Structures are given as C-alpha cells and as structure tokens.
Amino acid sequence: MTEPEPLLTLRNIETYYGPIMAIRGVSLEVRERSIVTILGANGAGKTTVLKTICGAMDPQKGSVTFRGEDITGRDPDRVARLHLGHVPEGREVFPFLTAEENLAVGAFTRRRANLNEDLALVYGYFPALAEHRKLPAGFLSGGQQQMLAIGRALMLRPQLMLLDEPSLGLAPRLVAEIAEIVVRLNREQGMAILLVEQNARMALDVAHYGYVMEVGRIVMEDTCERLKNAPDIQEFYLGMKDQGVRGRRRWKQRKTWR
Amino acid sequence: MSELLQLLVSGLSKGCVFGLIALGFVLIYKATEMLNFAQGELMMMGAFVAFTFVNLAAMPFLAGFAVTLVVALAFGMALERGVLRPMIGEPPFAVLMLTIGLGFVLRTVAVNIWGTDPRTLDVPYAGEVLVVREVVFGYDNLIVIGATAFLCGGLWLFFRRSRLGVAMQAASQNQLAAYYSGVPVKRVASLVWGISAAISAAAGMLLAPISLIDQNMGFIGIKAFAAAIVGGFGSLPGAIVGGLLIGVSEEFALRYLWPGFGEVTAFVILLVMLFVRPQGIFASLQKKKV
C-alpha cells in the first residue's frame, strides 16, 4: 500500500538572485486534487519558489518533479506544455490585446484544442470577462484583470495551477469571490492548486495543507486546520494577539533554524 | 500640377522603402528591446541576394524575389540565434554596438562577394512608364507602393488574426506572462528577427531598380531610423507613416530647395518632431515598465 506519487515535488531547492540566496533548501509536495498554500511575509521567498517551479528561475541545487518528470531548469514554455498553469503576481495581462485574445494566448500550446469550448468554460467561471471580451485588457478593472489572468492559465487546462497572490490589491468582496473560484476550480475541475498568499486568513480557509516560509526556508508545515490553531500562526499571520505571548519573540521559542 | 503629382509618387515610393526598413527596426525593438542598427545592411544584403538569383542565376523575377525572402528570413533567424541571443541580459549599449559592428561586417562581406561596382537588378518593369493624362509615372515607383501596401496588409493580418501573430504581440507586451502561457519566447524572438530581415530584404529589392545596388546603400537605414522615431517608436503604422512623410518631404526638398538640402530633410523633420511632439505621430501608449 504505497501512497500515490505526489503531482509536484520540490526537493531541497536553493535559488539565488545573483549572489543573494533567496531560497535556502525548500522541499514541498502538492498532491493531486489538493489545494496547498505557502504563507509568509514579504521577501520570504514565496514568489521565488513559484518561479523556480515554472522555470523562470533555475535553482542552484535541488530538483523539481512534476507528474513524475524532472523539470528542473526547463524553460517556462516547456513546463507550461505539461499543463502547469502559472498566474503571476500582479496579474500581468497583455494590456493591448483584448480579453479574448489574452485567453487565446493562454491556449497557445494546445494547437488542436477547441478554443470555443475552453472560452465557454472560462466565461462560465468569470461572466464579467464575457461581457468585456472585445475590450483591451488594459482597460479592465483590477479584479477583472485578476480573473483574466486566472482564465488565461485555465486555458492551458492545467493539472496544477500556481496562484501568486491573487488577492493582491483587491477589495474584500473580490477577495472572497476569488477564494470561491479557487475552491470551485479545485472541486469541479479536479485541479491541484498551489496558492501563495499574504492574506493568510483567506488562504487557510481555502487550502487543505499549508507551508509557512520565513527568509527562504520552510519553518512550519501542517494541515490548514491545525495551522489555524497554532499559536504562532494566530499571532503573526492572523493577528490574534494573545496577551501571554506578548513580549516574547518567536525566534526565542524556536532554536531549530539557525 | 503634373510635376507635383510625379514628385509625390516618387516621394511616396521612396517613403515606402524608408517605412519598410523602419518597420524592421520597430518589430525588433518591440519584441526584444534591441535596436538593430544593421537594419539598412540587411536591406543591402537582400538586394545583393536578389541580384544573385535574378541576374546571375537567371531566375524569373518573382521567383527570385520569393527565394530571397526565404533566404533573408533564415538569415535573420540565424543571426538572432547565433549573435544576438548570447547578448541577452547584457547592457543595451553593448547590444547597440554589436549591431553597428554587424553592419560593418555585412558591408565587408558584401564587398568580398559581390565587389565594389554598383550593380543593377534586372526587373521586367525597368524603365517602363505609365502615362495618365500626360502625367508620367515610373512603374518602378508604382510597384514599390503597391508591394509595400501588400506587405503591410499581410503583416497586419498576420499580427491580428493568426495564432502565432497574436502570441508575438503578447510576447512583446509581457514577456514573462507569455512564457507562462507556453509561448516559446526565444523562438518567437528569432522569428521576429527573421521577419524583420525579410521585410528589409523586400525593401532592398524594391529599391534596387530605382537606385543602384552597392555595399553602401544600407546607409539609408539611418533615415529609416529617423522615420521610425518620427512615427512614434514602437508603433508599426507609425513607422510607415513616418517613412512616407520623410520620403515625400525629401523628394520635394531635392527639387525645390537649395542643392544639398534634400539629404538633411529627414533629420530636420526628426529635430522638429522631437521639439514639437517627442513621442512621435502615433505615440504608443505603453510606458516602459522597469
């Protein structure tokens, strides 16, 4: 009775920006049909982990395995071809192409695909995009651009979607909407999702399993249920300050990480 | 009146050549953020290659034209792959110097292969004229205009309608996001260089019957660069419009102003444009994101 191979495995990844070590040995797993989240403050290296997975950055050490294939250091377009979607931080839509053309570019790798079917799927999840399909993406609102970016990745028919800060700069109502879409995509399309978030409350509500990153390493991992109840998480990520912990610094409690 | 019309047509045809080379500049700039100052030399090479096929190998003109386009496409792609791609990530100034050097190399190569004597391209329409109500138009000029319109139409369709064309636009607007969507950005950059070289070669072939082919014909690339800036660098229609503006002005200046003034018209227009409307006629809306 062996467990099935995880969809995505990172083993001991180390990634540098020039001389600066951004990721200091990260290992993580994403199982099929699961939502996994990475929490962490600014500069913890969350985005770099995603960039390393999708091939925009090459790790110095370690390996990335997706669907049993070693994709370490492969160019991003070849990784995308394996049905790995990436929604980058800050939306990054193509501003002068219409919404529909943006989505069509998302289906670039799928030469034989039935474009209309895929478009219908995306418009089903994001009716607002159907309304503005002929509008240049630069004219869309922030929330619509975020939806467009997710829709564009959806056009790949991904087995795994990397979502980088989808709630960035959005109103709370939109954040809730995006969260709902994430859950629906996971449930209805059977899509695994690796969610990077600063909005820890939303991320922990949505995800099944969570990793916590600090300065380039993973300092904690557990199911989201248990993470939600961990005192450290409550204090530092959910803002529920307990009187008793006040004054005591986190790094004085833990001594296992340098 | 008839003189004005004739000047206009020959100015437009000259402008079309400027416009096509300017188009080459802009395409490469938009896709790879490199300024290719060997664009004029690519045009010169195109003219020489066409000369080889049409005059020396005695191919029919249209076939020679087509083969030259294919050769130019391949040459442009190879150039990107072999010379420019290793420069990714180097400072823009280094790339600029490299392309200027490339221009020198191409001129030397041309001299070594084809010699320094000016050549003429044998075209069936050389010297033929069309007379409409006593106004005489050279077929060579008319064909330049027609072929340019045809090429631009084809390019427009390609960029608006085809899967690859839209992906190319996407890659120029946001390289990383295009990568994430599975667009092979590196191969797209090669292809853009190929297309740009082919357009320049077309310009060379169209210009060849009007002027002569020699290793220095590529220097009009500088005027084409001015045209690209006047049109609003980064705008494809702007490149053509800028080219036409400069071509027509130059033709009229050559005829009506003091001798020697024609040669500087392009730069006078450029200067005036930079004072009055520095973003060019068709300002592209995109501010460069750092």
Side-chain angles (χ1 to χ4, degrees):
Chain A
M1 287 266 292
T2 53
E3 278 207 41
E5 177 100 342
L7 188 60
L8 176 83
T9 315
L10 265 66
R11 260 192 218 98
N12 233 351
I13 290 291
E14 288 184 9
T15 308
Y16 289 74
Y17 284 102
I20 299 156
M21 197 177 192
I23 306 290
R24 302 159 179 254
V26 163
S27 303
L28 60 81
E29 281 179 2
V30 180
R31 304 204 159 270
E32 266 178 64
R33 293 163 185 272
S34 67
I35 306 182
V36 174
T37 183
I38 306 178
L39 302 177
N42 281 337
K46 307 178 302 280
T47 299
T48 314
V49 168
L50 294 196
K51 283 186 171 172
T52 308
I53 295 171
C54 77
M57 296 184 73
D58 292 343
Q60 214 86 359
K61 277 188 197 153
S63 70
V64 185
T65 317
F66 179 58
R67 285 166 56 187
E69 246 182 279
D70 183 12
I71 57 166
T72 319
R74 245 188 230 187
D75 275 350
D77 58 299
R78 291 185 53 213
V79 175
R81 252 159 234 276
L82 298 173
H83 299 273
L84 191 150
H86 186 169
V87 182
E89 189 176 3
R91 307 186 298 233
E92 308 284 340
V93 295
F94 308 117
F96 299 112
L97 298 182
T98 65
E100 193 149 299
E101 283 170 332
N102 266 271
L103 295 177
V105 172
F108 181 82
T109 53
R110 302 175 57 237
R111 196 182 285 272
R112 293 168 192 289
N114 186 346
L115 195 64
N116 288 328
E117 209 171 273
D118 291 355
L119 283 174
L121 177 83
V122 172
Y123 291 149
Y125 280 103
F126 306 108
L129 294 183
E131 247 172 78
H132 303 296
R133 51 166 57 155
K134 296 289 175 214
L135 216 59
F139 292 171
L140 299 178
S141 72
Q144 289 162 350
Q145 286 189 17
Q146 183 63 58
M147 293 175 186
L148 185 59
I150 297 177
R152 185 179 58 195
L154 209 51
M155 295 295 281
L156 271 169
R157 291 285 175 120
Q159 263 188 300
L160 170 66
M161 191 188 273
L162 311 178
L163 263 175
D164 201 348
E165 302 253 5
S167 74
L168 187 76
L170 296 185
R173 194 168 53 84
L174 280 169
V175 173
E177 209 171 301
I178 298 273
E180 190 206 313
I181 295 277
V182 170
V183 173
R184 276 180 61 202
L185 284 176
N186 171 252
R187 196 170 343 113
E188 295 167 15
Q189 304 294 320
M191 191 185 294
I193 290 167
L194 180 55
L195 174 70
V196 156
E197 260 302 339
Q198 295 215 18
N199 186 337
R201 196 177 302 272
M202 175 249 205
L204 288 175
D205 281 344
V206 163
H208 308 132
Y209 199 84
Y211 294 86
V212 181
M213 278 189 79
E214 262 170 42
V215 282
R217 348 168 162 264
I218 287 174
V219 293
M220 197 188 258
E221 59 163 291
D222 215 329
T223 62
C224 285
E225 278 310 310
R226 266 181 279 178
L227 280 180
K228 264 190 242 177
N229 295 321
D232 279 351
I233 298 292
Q234 288 192 339
E235 186 188 345
F236 291 98
Y237 293 96
L238 300 176
M240 295 187 278
K241 216 166 202 180
D242 189 7
Q243 284 299 320
V245 193
R246 191 179 164 82
R248 282 164 64 202
R249 298 295 175 147
R250 186 173 145 65
W251 56 79
K252 291 192 176 152
Q253 298 176 347
R254 301 187 139 254
K255 287 173 181 153
T256 46
W257 44 281
R258 187 142 56 185
Chain B
M1 187 61 203
S2 73
E3 187 185 67
L4 283 182
L5 261 179
Q6 283 165 27
L7 279 178
L8 183 67
V9 167
S10 65
L12 282 178
S13 79
K14 209 185 229 179
C16 283
V17 173
F18 291 153
L20 286 176
I21 304 172
L23 211 54
F25 273 116
V26 174
L27 274 176
I28 287 181
Y29 179 72
K30 283 185 80 151
T32 64
E33 306 212 336
M34 290 174 179
L35 281 177
N36 174 26
F37 273 102
Q39 205 68 41
E41 275 66 33
L42 288 176
M43 178 205 77
M44 178 266 298
M45 291 300 274
F48 268 120
V49 171
F51 166 80
T52 311
F53 285 127
V54 175
N55 287 32
L56 305 182
M59 274 170 107
F61 175 68
L62 277 179
F65 201 108
V67 174
T68 305
L69 285 184
V70 174
V71 170
L73 186 79
F75 183 67
M77 290 175 76
L79 212 55
E80 194 277 339
R81 187 70 194 83
V83 182
L84 277 310
R85 196 176 293 178
M87 297 296 284
I88 289 177
E90 299 295 330
F93 184 68
V95 180
L96 190 88
M97 292 309 290
L98 180 76
T99 62
I100 292 176
L102 201 60
F104 276 96
V105 172
L106 290 179
R107 277 202 293 282
T108 315
V109 168
V111 168
N112 279 300
I113 300 178
W114 291 287
T116 51
D117 296 333
R119 313 286 192 141
T120 38
L121 184 63
D122 287 338
V123 291
Y125 55 85
E128 304 268 330
V129 291
L130 175 72
V131 184
V132 183
R133 295 201 192 165
E134 296 173 20
V135 189
V136 184
F137 301 111
Y139 264 116
D140 44 7
N141 286 330
L142 294 177
I143 281 175
V144 173
I145 297 170
T148 304
F150 179 75
L151 271 176
C152 292
L155 280 175
W156 187 84
L157 275 181
F158 173 70
F159 281 114
R160 295 305 314 175
R161 294 272 173 270
S162 79
R163 191 178 79 106
L164 190 57
V166 172
M168 275 181 171
Q169 284 192 63
S172 96
Q173 287 171 25
N174 193 330
Q175 215 164 57
L176 204 54
Y179 242 150
Y180 292 158
S181 303
V183 177
V185 173
K186 287 179 185 167
R187 257 187 290 156
V188 163
S190 279
L191 198 54
V192 167
W193 269 81
I195 291 175
S196 170
I199 292 174
S200 295
M205 287 185 282
L206 292 170
L207 183 66
I210 301 173
S211 79
L212 295 168
I213 310 174
D214 65 26
Q215 78 276 12
N216 290 329
M217 74 189 288
F219 284 129
I220 72 163
I222 306 288
K223 286 182 194 166
F225 185 60
I229 295 174
V230 167
F233 218 91
S235 157
L236 297 180
I240 295 290
V241 172
L244 292 178
L245 182 68
I246 283 180
V248 172
S249 320
E250 189 176 292
E251 201 68 7
F252 277 89
L254 280 170
R255 175 71 183 81
Y256 294 114
L257 294 180
W258 311 275
F261 202 80
E263 280 305 302
V264 298
T265 322
F267 308 108
V268 172
I269 292 177
L270 175 61
L271 265 183
V272 171
M273 199 62 178
L274 288 179
F275 278 123
V276 180
R277 195 177 154 79
Q279 70 272 42
I281 302 173
F282 292 86
S284 56
L285 300 162
Q286 198 171 21
K287 286 274 181 297
K288 196 162 164 179
K289 243 165 103 180
V290 182

